Structures are given as C-alpha cells and as structure tokens.
Amino acid sequence: MPQYIKFIRGSILQGQLEALNPATKYTATEIADQNTLLRKIMRKPHSLIIFSILASLAIPVLSADTPLSLPDRLAALRTTIAIDHGKMVGTGAATLINAGLESQFVLIGEDHGIAEIAHFSAAYFEELANQGFTTLIIENGPTVADALEKTLKADTGVAGIAAFNKAYPVATAFYKWQAEAQFLARIAKAAGPSFHLVGMDQELMGASKYLLDQMAEQPLGPLAKSKVEAFRKLESDDYRRASESGDPRELFMVKIKEEELVALQKLLTTPKEMPALAMLNSLLESRSIYTKNMTPGQGYSSNIQRARLMKQYVTSHLTLAPAQRMLLKAGAVHVFRGYNPLGAGSREIGNYLAEYAEGHGQKSLHVLVLASKGKQAQFAGIGRASAITEIEKVDTKSSMAGVLPFFAAAKEHKDWSLFDVRPLLGSAKSLANGDSSVQGMIQGYDFVLVIPEGNATSDL
C-alpha cells in the first residue's frame, strides 16, 4: 500500500475512534486489526461516507482506457499520402494541407538527393503557394539565391537553372539536380509575381566565381578592382585543379588565405563599395565555416557558426517582411524543433522559427520526410557527376535513430505512410520509454512521412 494512503487511512481511523464514542475502549488487537475495526465502525450509520473515502483510497482505480504503446498509437494515427499527376492525394493530404494553412512557417526536413521527396515537396508547397505562401527559404547562400530568383522570375524555369549551373558549377547546393530544379520552378510559378527566394545558408564552396564576378561589376576603386581581377584569375586556376583532382579543398574559397581577403576588405570603404563589401564578407564567412568543418576537432564549432548564420539571414528577411508566410526546405536536422540529434546537438533554424512564431502568436509546422530504403544522389567530387548510392540505413546508433518506430509502423505498407505526431506530444516521454532519440523525434516534428523506397534524382 502506498505510504500516503497508509497515512491518510490511519488518520481517518483514529478520528473515527474518537468520534464514535470517546468512552468506548478498543483493545490493542482491535486497533491493530484494521479490518476488524472497520467492520465495527461500519455498524454505525454515519460511517458510510468515511467508508466510501477509505474504499476509494484503498482500491486502485482501473481505467477502461489502458494507455496504448507507441507502435499501437502510430498504427492508429497512420494515414497515406501519394502524388498523382503532380498533386498530393491520400487520406492524410487534407490534414497536412490544413495544418500548413494554419501556420505562418511550414518547414520540410529531408534527406537530400531523393526524387520522391522533391516531388512531394513540390506538390505540398505548391498547394500552400497558391494560398499566399510566396516566400521560399532554401539551403543556399543569399547571393546565389538572388540569382536563382531572377532566373525563375524571368520564366526560364528549369532551363534557366541549368544554364546558371553550367556558368557557375558548384555554386548551388542541391539545385543541380533535375527533381530539385523542377521543385523550384513549380513553387515560383505557383507563387506568381510575389515569389521571393531567400538563401539562408553560407555560399557553397564553389560560389566564389559568382561572388567575384558580381563584385567586379560594382563600382570599385583602382586598387580594389585590381585585387578582384587577380582573385578572379586565381579562382579560375583553382577550379581547374579542383576539377582534375575532384578535391574541394583545391577550390578558391577554401584555398585562399584569410589575410588576402581581409586585405581586400580594408580597401572597400566608400558607400558605393558597400555591395561589394557585403559579397566579400559573405565569402569570408563561408570560408570560415568550411575550413572549420575540414579541420579535425572543429566540426561542432563549424555547425554552430552555420546555424547562427541561418538565423541571422532569416531574421534580416523577417525584419523587412514580418507578415510574409514562409516555406522552408532543408536537411532534416536543420528543421528539428529543440536541440537537433547531431552529436552534442545545436538549436537550428527549425527551433528558431518555432520560438519566433510562438512569441508572435503564430504557428510553425515541422514535417520530416524520409525514405526508409532505396537510392539517392550524392556529391561525388568537383567536376564529377553525382554518385548514386544506397540510402544510408538508420540504426540505433544513427543520429536519426528516433525515426525507427515510424519506419517499423510503415514497414508492412507499400504506400507512403503519414504520421500525425501532434497527438503524441503530451505523452512523448512515456511513449519513448526511456529512449531519448524517440522522445526527441516526437517533440521535434509535427508530421513524419515515410516513403518505403526512394529513387535517386538525376543531374540536370
């Protein structure tokens, strides 16, 4: 019997001994034998209320609704999604669309290089773009994103993106892939004239050529102009060597010494040179993130710097357009609400927008999309076609191990499985049963979409 029940029961019994008849003498045996004593007490009519209290304390209440396990809950919550002629259909489609329409920010966290994920993202975001979500935030640098926006607004579509990639190889992250370029073109068309593309990441390591070309077009002093021209030639030579070896460490952004860029920075001082200075600062910041990432022991520092940069870029846009409803598509860990599951973890753009929305009385929606098996495209080196690899298997040691119960719940189904995680949030800890990765997954995303088998997207 729980200690608090023993205490309350003993107190009530003692009170009954006094209330029944102070003159009545009870033997030590009767007092010790509470069952015998209760029978004597119950002979008194006014003891019925007290008995009811005791009974409720002594007998545990058994609920008819026994809590379901996580597998049972997921089975009950499972709906389906499919893409039919570019449109999202299935039993879960309306729920997902409505959840998006109720939100200020809708974020998709993905595994890159899988065609089905790009097709789903296009169909889903297209629905929302038609309803006023005109800003798309992508995992690219702001300068390159501006260039892609101009291309898309010129209505050149996928062909325009392909032409940009040909002129500036390794400048766009992920949008050298066919399905991803189609995704951008579809969202731009659905959003119409108000479409705005926001780059929230560092510039990709091969974007130096585009940055230097743009700087060269700005009004510069003679010394600064000479320096930029020297850098452009050096960048061309570095890219040739990187293409021969495939090694990204040969690229200008990584190879150039920081002090050489700082020397140019000191030459850009006049108001008319501020646009060029902004591009140079972006180059310096991107270089810092990459060099840290390539230095043993500095991976966490690189990731924290990158996460902070994402928040700063998005904040700058929110300051200019606070009322805009925004779509965001990025790697799964970036979209995570709370500390993401990478090593020591970091609080990234997904968590930032969740807090921002809540502070403004708004909502953010976080959707995880993964394929449980199949093929995906991956970077294979500078000047190389994308490699087609097996989708990395998730196990208990993986950073995304928390998705395993969702994979298990989807395993026997051939169609895509959509899980609305929101009803599980209040029970995340108990449902996870001590598994912090599962608890984090329930708290990190609102919906989880499991594609049973993915296919690699192709290069443009």
Side-chain angles (χ1 to χ4, degrees):
M1 183 186 298
Q3 292 298 314
Y4 72 92
I5 291 181
K6 284 185 178 180
F7 174 80
I8 297 173
R9 182 172 177 173
S11 299
I12 293 174
L13 284 171
Q14 182 59 41
Q16 278 292 290
L17 293 179
E18 296 171 357
L20 286 174
N21 187 347
T24 302
K25 302 297 181 184
Y26 295 93
T27 68
T29 303
E30 287 174 327
I31 294 174
D33 186 352
Q34 292 185 359
N35 289 328
T36 301
L37 187 56
L38 279 171
R39 283 195 294 272
K40 286 195 174 188
I41 291 172
M42 284 310 300
R43 294 192 188 110
K44 306 295 181 178
H46 66 276
S47 299
L48 291 175
I49 295 175
I50 298 296
F51 178 79
S52 298
I53 294 172
L54 286 171
S56 68
L57 289 170
I59 301 172
V61 178
L62 298 177
S63 171
D65 300 323
T66 304
L68 296 174
S69 65
L70 181 58
D72 290 335
R73 294 291 300 274
L74 291 178
L77 291 170
R78 179 185 175 273
T79 56
T80 63
I81 289 287
I83 305 301
D84 183 16
H85 293 86
K87 297 293 183 182
M88 193 167 69
V89 298
T91 57
T95 300
L96 189 58
I97 291 170
N98 289 336
L101 293 175
E102 293 170 357
S103 304
Q104 185 74 10
F105 309 113
V106 180
L107 303 85
I108 287 180
E110 64 174 4
D111 191 5
H112 303 300
I114 299 170
E116 286 80 2
I117 295 179
H119 298 330
F120 161 76
S121 301
Y124 183 34
F125 279 2
E126 203 170 43
E127 292 278 354
L128 300 177
N130 286 326
Q131 299 297 320
F133 284 82
T134 57
T135 296
L136 174 62
I137 304 172
I138 60 172
E139 201 175 339
N140 270 248
T143 305
V144 166
D146 286 348
L148 291 174
E149 179 187 294
K150 290 174 184 175
T151 295
L152 291 164
K153 285 192 169 184
D155 202 25
T156 54
V158 173
I161 297 172
F164 181 82
N165 277 294
K166 185 176 180 180
Y168 299 102
V170 204
T172 64
F174 316 119
Y175 296 105
K176 62 167 280 187
W177 290 329
Q178 182 76 31
E180 298 295 344
Q182 290 172 344
F183 159 78
L184 279 187
R186 286 177 61 178
I187 305 310
K189 185 176 181 180
S194 298
F195 174 69
H196 189 31
L197 192 65
V198 176
M200 67 170 181
D201 212 347
Q202 82 271 17
E203 299 292 348
L204 194 63
M205 63 183 72
S208 302
K209 180 181 180 182
Y210 183 71
L211 290 169
L212 291 170
D213 282 359
Q214 293 301 300
M215 290 173 67
E217 293 180 5
Q218 304 300 317
L220 303 172
L223 287 177
K225 188 171 185 62
S226 175
K227 196 83 169 173
V228 169
E229 289 303 325
F231 282 167
R232 291 177 74 191
K233 183 179 186 310
L234 187 58
E235 190 283 331
S236 179
D237 293 340
D238 287 341
Y239 181 77
R240 178 179 50 77
R241 283 189 289 269
S243 296
E244 291 170 355
S245 65
D247 189 349
R249 291 171 297 182
E250 294 289 338
L251 290 171
F252 175 87
M253 185 183 288
V254 182
K255 200 171 180 182
I256 187 71
K257 293 185 183 300
E258 183 179 1
E259 53 264 33
E260 293 188 57
L261 296 176
V262 171
L264 173 58
Q265 191 180 42
K266 292 177 179 178
L267 297 175
L268 303 174
T269 58
T270 65
K272 65 182 181 180
E273 291 172 322
M274 290 304 100
L277 178 61
M279 293 175 197
L280 179 60
N281 288 340
S282 179
L283 178 55
L284 273 161
E285 179 100 39
S286 301
R287 180 194 176 280
S288 175
I289 290 170
Y290 280 119
T291 53
K292 285 178 182 174
N293 186 259
M294 295 176 182
T295 302
Q298 292 195 40
Y300 180 72
S301 177
S302 172
N303 195 57
I304 292 296
Q305 182 179 352
R306 185 183 178 198
R308 182 171 58 246
L309 185 68
M310 288 184 178
K311 296 170 193 175
Q312 290 170 349
Y313 281 146
V314 172
T315 298
S316 295
H317 182 73
L318 287 170
T319 301
L320 296 173
Q324 280 190 2
R325 304 175 79 185
M326 301 181 187
L327 307 169
L328 184 149
K329 181 170 171 285
V333 294
H334 302 304
V335 172
F336 207 83
R337 186 171 45 220
Y339 278 97
N340 71 27
L342 278 181
S346 62
R347 292 172 292 111
E348 300 209 16
I349 191 64
N351 183 72
Y352 177 76
L353 287 177
E355 297 285 358
Y356 181 95
E358 191 172 272
H360 288 77
Q362 301 164 339
K363 294 180 181 179
S364 63
L365 190 73
H366 306 247
V367 182
L368 174 65
V369 192
L370 297 175
S372 54
K373 63 178 181 178
K375 306 279 189 181
Q376 67 186 132
Q378 290 192 345
F379 174 72
I382 305 302
R384 310 291 192 268
S386 296
I388 307 302
T389 65
E390 292 287 337
I391 292 173
E392 185 177 355
K393 184 179 179 180
V394 177
D395 57 28
T396 56
K397 295 181 180 179
S398 303
S399 61
M400 295 295 288
V403 81
L404 288 173
F406 297 88
F407 281 1
K411 187 175 181 181
E412 302 304 320
H413 302 280
K414 293 183 179 179
D415 45 4
W416 296 6
S417 297
L418 179 70
F419 300 97
D420 186 345
V421 187
R422 295 172 297 176
L424 307 181
L425 186 58
S427 306
K429 186 174 182 179
S430 59
L431 288 170
N433 196 26
D435 190 330
S436 60
S437 61
V438 174
Q439 181 179 338
M441 191 64 59
I442 294 172
Q443 295 169 333
Y445 296 99
D446 298 300
F447 286 87
V448 174
L449 175 60
V450 178
I451 298 171
E453 185 157 5
N455 291 281
T457 182
S458 58
D459 289 338
L460 284 171

mmCIF file of all heavy atoms in Angstrom, residues 243-269:
data_model
loop_
_atom_site.group_PDB
_atom_site.id
_atom_site.type_symbol
_atom_site.label_atom_id
_atom_site.label_comp_id
_atom_site.label_asym_id
_atom_site.label_seq_id
_atom_site.Cartn_x
_atom_site.Cartn_y
_atom_site.Cartn_z
ATOM 1 N N SER A 243 38.887 20.442 -60.394
ATOM 2 C CA SER A 243 38.176 19.568 -61.322
ATOM 3 C C SER A 243 39.030 18.361 -61.716
ATOM 4 O O SER A 243 38.515 17.260 -61.919
ATOM 5 C CB SER A 243 37.775 20.342 -62.586
ATOM 6 O OG SER A 243 36.861 21.354 -62.276
ATOM 7 N N GLU A 244 40.322 18.591 -61.828
ATOM 8 C CA GLU A 244 41.221 17.485 -62.179
ATOM 9 C C GLU A 244 41.311 16.458 -61.052
ATOM 10 O O GLU A 244 41.350 15.253 -61.296
ATOM 11 C CB GLU A 244 42.607 18.034 -62.513
ATOM 12 C CG GLU A 244 42.647 18.841 -63.803
ATOM 13 C CD GLU A 244 43.964 19.583 -63.997
ATOM 14 O OE1 GLU A 244 44.810 19.541 -63.060
ATOM 15 O OE2 GLU A 244 44.155 20.213 -65.051
ATOM 16 N N SER A 245 41.339 16.942 -59.819
ATOM 17 C CA SER A 245 41.501 16.043 -58.676
ATOM 18 C C SER A 245 40.174 15.623 -58.048
ATOM 19 O O SER A 245 40.094 14.594 -57.378
ATOM 20 C CB SER A 245 42.351 16.721 -57.599
ATOM 21 O OG SER A 245 41.667 17.855 -57.065
ATOM 22 N N GLY A 246 39.152 16.444 -58.247
ATOM 23 C CA GLY A 246 37.871 16.207 -57.591
ATOM 24 C C GLY A 246 37.834 16.710 -56.155
ATOM 25 O O GLY A 246 36.807 16.624 -55.485
ATOM 26 N N ASP A 247 38.940 17.262 -55.681
ATOM 27 C CA ASP A 247 39.094 17.638 -54.279
ATOM 28 C C ASP A 247 38.579 19.059 -54.021
ATOM 29 O O ASP A 247 39.142 20.023 -54.541
ATOM 30 C CB ASP A 247 40.570 17.541 -53.890
ATOM 31 C CG ASP A 247 40.806 17.705 -52.397
ATOM 32 O OD1 ASP A 247 39.862 18.095 -51.675
ATOM 33 O OD2 ASP A 247 41.945 17.450 -51.952
ATOM 34 N N PRO A 248 37.541 19.230 -53.204
ATOM 35 C CA PRO A 248 37.020 20.581 -52.925
ATOM 36 C C PRO A 248 38.002 21.465 -52.174
ATOM 37 O O PRO A 248 37.860 22.687 -52.176
ATOM 38 C CB PRO A 248 35.768 20.302 -52.085
ATOM 39 C CG PRO A 248 35.947 18.935 -51.530
ATOM 40 C CD PRO A 248 36.741 18.181 -52.551
ATOM 41 N N ARG A 249 38.998 20.879 -51.550
ATOM 42 C CA ARG A 249 39.988 21.687 -50.837
ATOM 43 C C ARG A 249 40.865 22.491 -51.785
ATOM 44 O O ARG A 249 41.588 23.393 -51.352
ATOM 45 C CB ARG A 249 40.855 20.791 -49.956
ATOM 46 C CG ARG A 249 40.105 20.179 -48.776
ATOM 47 C CD ARG A 249 40.930 19.151 -48.059
ATOM 48 N NE ARG A 249 41.258 18.016 -48.928
ATOM 49 C CZ ARG A 249 41.940 16.948 -48.532
ATOM 50 N NH1 ARG A 249 42.401 16.874 -47.290
ATOM 51 N NH2 ARG A 249 42.193 15.969 -49.390
ATOM 52 N N GLU A 250 40.807 22.184 -53.086
ATOM 53 C CA GLU A 250 41.564 22.931 -54.088
ATOM 54 C C GLU A 250 40.827 24.185 -54.563
ATOM 55 O O GLU A 250 41.392 24.993 -55.302
ATOM 56 C CB GLU A 250 41.859 22.032 -55.299
ATOM 57 C CG GLU A 250 42.783 20.864 -55.012
ATOM 58 C CD GLU A 250 44.221 21.312 -54.759
ATOM 59 O OE1 GLU A 250 44.579 22.422 -55.204
ATOM 60 O OE2 GLU A 250 44.966 20.570 -54.105
ATOM 61 N N LEU A 251 39.576 24.332 -54.160
ATOM 62 C CA LEU A 251 38.790 25.478 -54.604
ATOM 63 C C LEU A 251 39.277 26.778 -53.957
ATOM 64 O O LEU A 251 39.791 26.781 -52.839
ATOM 65 C CB LEU A 251 37.310 25.263 -54.270
ATOM 66 C CG LEU A 251 36.593 24.179 -55.079
ATOM 67 C CD1 LEU A 251 35.205 23.928 -54.497
ATOM 68 C CD2 LEU A 251 36.500 24.555 -56.563
ATOM 69 N N PHE A 252 39.042 27.875 -54.666
ATOM 70 C CA PHE A 252 39.489 29.184 -54.210
ATOM 71 C C PHE A 252 38.994 29.503 -52.804
ATOM 72 O O PHE A 252 39.754 29.979 -51.959
ATOM 73 C CB PHE A 252 39.009 30.254 -55.196
ATOM 74 C CG PHE A 252 39.292 31.655 -54.777
ATOM 75 C CD1 PHE A 252 40.505 32.268 -55.081
ATOM 76 C CD2 PHE A 252 38.343 32.406 -54.070
ATOM 77 C CE1 PHE A 252 40.779 33.578 -54.688
ATOM 78 C CE2 PHE A 252 38.599 33.705 -53.677
ATOM 79 C CZ PHE A 252 39.826 34.292 -53.980
ATOM 80 N N MET A 253 37.702 29.244 -52.537
ATOM 81 C CA MET A 253 37.123 29.623 -51.248
ATOM 82 C C MET A 253 37.858 28.990 -50.075
ATOM 83 O O MET A 253 38.001 29.603 -49.018
ATOM 84 C CB MET A 253 35.635 29.257 -51.186
ATOM 85 C CG MET A 253 34.945 29.729 -49.907
ATOM 86 S SD MET A 253 33.223 29.231 -49.784
ATOM 87 C CE MET A 253 32.458 30.292 -51.018
ATOM 88 N N VAL A 254 38.303 27.778 -50.266
ATOM 89 C CA VAL A 254 38.977 27.046 -49.187
ATOM 90 C C VAL A 254 40.478 27.322 -49.184
ATOM 91 O O VAL A 254 41.108 27.426 -48.132
ATOM 92 C CB VAL A 254 38.705 25.536 -49.316
ATOM 93 C CG1 VAL A 254 39.364 24.766 -48.175
ATOM 94 C CG2 VAL A 254 37.205 25.250 -49.357
ATOM 95 N N LYS A 255 41.034 27.498 -50.375
ATOM 96 C CA LYS A 255 42.485 27.574 -50.524
ATOM 97 C C LYS A 255 43.052 28.968 -50.247
ATOM 98 O O LYS A 255 44.176 29.109 -49.749
ATOM 99 C CB LYS A 255 42.862 27.129 -51.933
ATOM 100 C CG LYS A 255 44.307 26.710 -52.091
ATOM 101 C CD LYS A 255 44.521 26.090 -53.467
ATOM 102 C CE LYS A 255 45.964 25.663 -53.647
ATOM 103 N NZ LYS A 255 46.198 25.100 -54.997
ATOM 104 N N ILE A 256 42.278 30.002 -50.571
ATOM 105 C CA ILE A 256 42.785 31.368 -50.399
ATOM 106 C C ILE A 256 43.058 31.654 -48.919
ATOM 107 O O ILE A 256 42.302 31.243 -48.045
ATOM 108 C CB ILE A 256 41.781 32.398 -50.973
ATOM 109 C CG1 ILE A 256 42.366 33.806 -50.973
ATOM 110 C CG2 ILE A 256 40.473 32.361 -50.209
ATOM 111 C CD1 ILE A 256 43.438 34.042 -51.961
ATOM 112 N N LYS A 257 44.119 32.366 -48.649
ATOM 113 C CA LYS A 257 44.429 32.704 -47.259
ATOM 114 C C LYS A 257 43.505 33.829 -46.778
ATOM 115 O O LYS A 257 43.223 34.777 -47.515
ATOM 116 C CB LYS A 257 45.894 33.137 -47.143
ATOM 117 C CG LYS A 257 46.884 32.010 -47.407
ATOM 118 C CD LYS A 257 48.303 32.462 -47.160
ATOM 119 C CE LYS A 257 49.303 31.359 -47.486
ATOM 120 N NZ LYS A 257 49.076 30.147 -46.667
ATOM 121 N N GLU A 258 43.106 33.722 -45.541
ATOM 122 C CA GLU A 258 42.168 34.698 -44.985
ATOM 123 C C GLU A 258 42.736 36.117 -45.033
ATOM 124 O O GLU A 258 42.012 37.081 -45.345
ATOM 125 C CB GLU A 258 41.827 34.328 -43.535
ATOM 126 C CG GLU A 258 40.802 35.266 -42.906
ATOM 127 C CD GLU A 258 40.455 34.867 -41.484
ATOM 128 O OE1 GLU A 258 41.023 33.882 -40.979
ATOM 129 O OE2 GLU A 258 39.605 35.553 -40.874
ATOM 130 N N GLU A 259 44.027 36.246 -44.774
ATOM 131 C CA GLU A 259 44.613 37.588 -44.748
ATOM 132 C C GLU A 259 44.556 38.279 -46.112
ATOM 133 O O GLU A 259 44.513 39.513 -46.189
ATOM 134 C CB GLU A 259 46.045 37.554 -44.223
ATOM 135 C CG GLU A 259 46.963 36.575 -44.926
ATOM 136 C CD GLU A 259 47.068 35.245 -44.186
ATOM 137 O OE1 GLU A 259 46.077 34.828 -43.559
ATOM 138 O OE2 GLU A 259 48.162 34.632 -44.258
ATOM 139 N N GLU A 260 44.544 37.496 -47.196
ATOM 140 C CA GLU A 260 44.440 38.109 -48.522
ATOM 141 C C GLU A 260 43.051 38.694 -48.735
ATOM 142 O O GLU A 260 42.907 39.754 -49.356
ATOM 143 C CB GLU A 260 44.767 37.068 -49.593
ATOM 144 C CG GLU A 260 46.219 36.613 -49.591
ATOM 145 C CD GLU A 260 46.542 35.742 -50.790
ATOM 146 O OE1 GLU A 260 46.345 36.215 -51.927
ATOM 147 O OE2 GLU A 260 46.980 34.590 -50.588
ATOM 148 N N LEU A 261 42.027 37.996 -48.248
ATOM 149 C CA LEU A 261 40.671 38.519 -48.352
ATOM 150 C C LEU A 261 40.482 39.726 -47.439
ATOM 151 O O LEU A 261 39.803 40.699 -47.803
ATOM 152 C CB LEU A 261 39.661 37.424 -47.990
ATOM 153 C CG LEU A 261 39.630 36.203 -48.931
ATOM 154 C CD1 LEU A 261 38.661 35.157 -48.401
ATOM 155 C CD2 LEU A 261 39.242 36.614 -50.352
ATOM 156 N N VAL A 262 41.091 39.687 -46.277
ATOM 157 C CA VAL A 262 40.999 40.814 -45.345
ATOM 158 C C VAL A 262 41.675 42.056 -45.932
ATOM 159 O O VAL A 262 41.208 43.188 -45.739
ATOM 160 C CB VAL A 262 41.618 40.439 -43.978
ATOM 161 C CG1 VAL A 262 41.731 41.661 -43.073
ATOM 162 C CG2 VAL A 262 40.787 39.352 -43.308
ATOM 163 N N ALA A 263 42.751 41.844 -46.672
ATOM 164 C CA ALA A 263 43.439 42.971 -47.310
ATOM 165 C C ALA A 263 42.515 43.678 -48.297
ATOM 166 O O ALA A 263 42.492 44.917 -48.382
ATOM 167 C CB ALA A 263 44.701 42.485 -48.013
ATOM 168 N N LEU A 264 41.732 42.892 -49.059
ATOM 169 C CA LEU A 264 40.757 43.499 -49.965
ATOM 170 C C LEU A 264 39.647 44.176 -49.167
ATOM 171 O O LEU A 264 39.183 45.272 -49.524
ATOM 172 C CB LEU A 264 40.167 42.430 -50.882
ATOM 173 C CG LEU A 264 39.003 42.866 -51.778
ATOM 174 C CD1 LEU A 264 39.408 44.025 -52.689
ATOM 175 C CD2 LEU A 264 38.486 41.683 -52.610
ATOM 176 N N GLN A 265 39.250 43.561 -48.088
ATOM 177 C CA GLN A 265 38.194 44.117 -47.236
ATOM 178 C C GLN A 265 38.540 45.540 -46.788
ATOM 179 O O GLN A 265 37.685 46.431 -46.770
ATOM 180 C CB GLN A 265 38.015 43.194 -46.030
ATOM 181 C CG GLN A 265 36.796 43.459 -45.179
ATOM 182 C CD GLN A 265 36.732 42.478 -44.016
ATOM 183 O OE1 GLN A 265 37.737 42.187 -43.380
ATOM 184 N NE2 GLN A 265 35.546 41.964 -43.750
ATOM 185 N N LYS A 266 39.792 45.766 -46.472
ATOM 186 C CA LYS A 266 40.228 47.076 -45.990
ATOM 187 C C LYS A 266 40.195 48.146 -47.083
ATOM 188 O O LYS A 266 40.207 49.348 -46.791
ATOM 189 C CB LYS A 266 41.633 46.973 -45.407
ATOM 190 C CG LYS A 266 41.697 46.146 -44.121
ATOM 191 C CD LYS A 266 43.121 46.004 -43.626
ATOM 192 C CE LYS A 266 43.187 45.191 -42.337
ATOM 193 N NZ LYS A 266 44.583 44.998 -41.860
ATOM 194 N N LEU A 267 40.164 47.718 -48.342
ATOM 195 C CA LEU A 267 40.129 48.664 -49.457
ATOM 196 C C LEU A 267 38.711 49.124 -49.783
ATOM 197 O O LEU A 267 38.529 50.122 -50.489
ATOM 198 C CB LEU A 267 40.753 48.028 -50.700
ATOM 199 C CG LEU A 267 42.238 47.645 -50.618
ATOM 200 C CD1 LEU A 267 42.660 46.915 -51.892
ATOM 201 C CD2 LEU A 267 43.106 48.885 -50.386
ATOM 202 N N LEU A 268 37.705 48.388 -49.298
ATOM 203 C CA LEU A 268 36.307 48.693 -49.628
ATOM 204 C C LEU A 268 35.713 49.554 -48.517
ATOM 205 O O LEU A 268 35.178 49.052 -47.529
ATOM 206 C CB LEU A 268 35.519 47.394 -49.806
ATOM 207 C CG LEU A 268 36.068 46.431 -50.873
ATOM 208 C CD1 LEU A 268 35.313 45.124 -50.874
ATOM 209 C CD2 LEU A 268 36.038 47.074 -52.253
ATOM 210 N N THR A 269 35.797 50.855 -48.685
ATOM 211 C CA THR A 269 35.429 51.777 -47.608
ATOM 212 C C THR A 269 34.364 52.795 -47.985
ATOM 213 O O THR A 269 33.720 53.365 -47.104
ATOM 214 C CB THR A 269 36.680 52.538 -47.126
ATOM 215 O OG1 THR A 269 37.258 53.234 -48.239
ATOM 216 C CG2 THR A 269 37.703 51.576 -46.538
#
